[in-house]
Amino acid sequence: MLSRLTRPRAITLCALPVVALFAVAGFAPLPYAVAQPGSTANVLGADKGTPVITISGAPTRTPKGELRMTTIVATGPSADVDLGDVVDAWFRTDRAVLPRDTVYPAGKSDEEVEKHNLQDMEESQDVATQAALGFLDEDPAKVKVNLRLADIGGPSAGLFFALGIVDKLDGDGAGGDLTGGRNVAGTGTITADGKVGAVGGVSLKTQAAKRDGASVFLVPKGECSDAQAELPKGLRLIPVTTLKDAVDSLRALDKGGKVLAC
């Protein structure tokens, strides 16, 4: 004989599987990565005692401002991210939850990802050199550029490597610094013909920039809305689509001219 369940007891029994499901989900690894603001590096300065940019075959300048490339730090592809991590990051402005496959190639180990990122960095340095020398009409057979920035991977510093080369060789084109002596930060990939590409994680990178003293942030134009999402107070956004855009904007900023805004 079946006994009749009271309503409260029936609700309790029905809720048990749901509670159990949430309990399991709370500890089960999820296919996400949690990212946060990373380090920044002044490409016009030195890394571990060695200049980031070394140029031979042409006269160079010693700029007084800073050009800071920015990074994010994310949990590795083998790291377990559970529901608690996701919920915590969701309510924090200095964290972002990203699908793991958008951050790392599927099926790659931590070591493979690190190697891939370092290769991307090396390639971006070569392309940035081509872009900068092409912009300045310098002969790459005569002007040699060596870029060195250890322990940072990925292609997102391409724009700032190119800007650093331009500043060291030509400054603002009129004897002054391209930065106008400012601490300028930003991000963006670059192609050999000077086109700037999107990178991701810009809302976290703006926070890293402000933390490290930047007052201006150059952002790929297509990522303006992302950069504005958690924009720190006092950090000016400047959208760019090409290396020429970036150079023209910095020159105009120093001279009080019109500068595009996001």
Side-chain angles (χ1 to χ4, degrees), residues 27-30 32 75-82 85 100:
F27 294 99
L30 299 174
Y32 296 106
T75 52
S78 63
D80 289 339
V81 175
D82 59 32
D85 298 321
R100 186 178 291 162

Side-chain angles (χ1 to χ4, degrees), residues 70-134:
T70 54
T71 69
I72 62 172
V73 177
T75 52
S78 63
D80 289 339
V81 175
D82 59 32
L83 184 61
D85 298 321
V86 172
V87 171
D88 176 65
W90 188 266
F91 290 100
R92 294 180 59 165
T93 59
D94 62 345
R95 298 288 189 275
V97 180
L98 308 169
R100 186 178 291 162
D101 289 346
T102 67
V103 181
Y104 302 111
K108 298 293 185 181
S109 67
D110 289 10
E111 292 76 15
E112 290 171 326
V113 167
E114 182 179 2
K115 182 178 179 181
H116 175 77
N117 285 341
L118 291 176
Q119 289 174 340
D120 278 351
M121 171 63 89
E122 291 176 1
E123 291 174 7
S124 76
Q125 292 174 347
D126 292 339
V127 174
T129 298
Q130 294 176 50
L133 295 183

Side-chain angles (χ1 to χ4, degrees), residues 5-256:
L5 292 174
T6 64
R7 180 177 176 81
R9 187 179 179 194
I11 292 174
T12 301
L13 290 175
C14 290
L16 285 175
V18 177
V19 173
L21 179 62
F22 275 102
V24 172
F27 294 99
L30 299 174
Y32 296 106
V34 176
Q36 65 186 63
S39 62
T40 71
N42 177 23
V43 300
L44 297 175
D47 177 48
K48 298 180 179 178
T50 301
V52 176
I53 301 175
T54 304
I55 301 173
S56 59
T60 59
R61 310 174 60 259
T62 304
K64 295 180 180 178
E66 297 183 10
L67 286 168
R68 288 195 166 272
M69 53 82 65
T70 54
T71 69
I72 62 172
V73 177
T75 52
S78 63
D80 289 339
V81 175
D82 59 32
L83 184 61
D85 298 321
V86 172
V87 171
D88 176 65
W90 188 266
F91 290 100
R92 294 180 59 165
T93 59
D94 62 345
R95 298 288 189 275
V97 180
L98 308 169
R100 186 178 291 162
D101 289 346
T102 67
V103 181
Y104 302 111
K108 298 293 185 181
S109 67
D110 289 10
E111 292 76 15
E112 290 171 326
V113 167
E114 182 179 2
K115 182 178 179 181
H116 175 77
N117 285 341
L118 291 176
Q119 289 174 340
D120 278 351
M121 171 63 89
E122 291 176 1
E123 291 174 7
S124 76
Q125 292 174 347
D126 292 339
V127 174
T129 298
Q130 294 176 50
L133 295 183
F135 175 78
L136 296 172
D137 292 324
E138 293 282 0
D139 186 350
K142 294 180 181 180
V143 179
K144 300 299 180 184
V145 179
N146 182 58
L147 301 174
R148 181 187 183 280
L149 190 57
D151 304 325
I152 294 178
S156 65
L159 170 61
F160 270 66
F161 281 133
L163 287 172
I165 296 168
V166 170
D167 202 1
K168 284 209 160 191
L169 285 172
D170 193 51
D172 65 358
D177 292 335
L178 183 59
T179 62
R182 296 177 178 82
N183 183 336
V184 177
T187 189
T189 63
I190 199 163
T191 61
D193 59 354
K195 292 185 178 66
V196 175
V199 293
V202 292
S203 65
L204 299 175
K205 291 179 178 181
T206 58
Q207 295 178 53
K210 182 62 176 178
R211 179 199 66 207
D212 291 352
S215 59
V216 176
F217 192 92
L218 303 183
V219 61
K221 187 175 181 180
E223 294 183 297
C224 270
S225 60
D226 291 341
Q228 289 172 322
E230 301 294 346
L231 185 65
K233 185 177 180 180
L235 186 64
R236 181 173 183 174
L237 283 182
I238 298 179
V240 297
T241 58
T242 65
L243 175 58
K244 184 177 185 303
D245 280 349
V247 172
D248 288 348
S249 292
L250 290 177
R251 287 174 176 170
L253 186 66
D254 191 41
K255 293 177 171 59

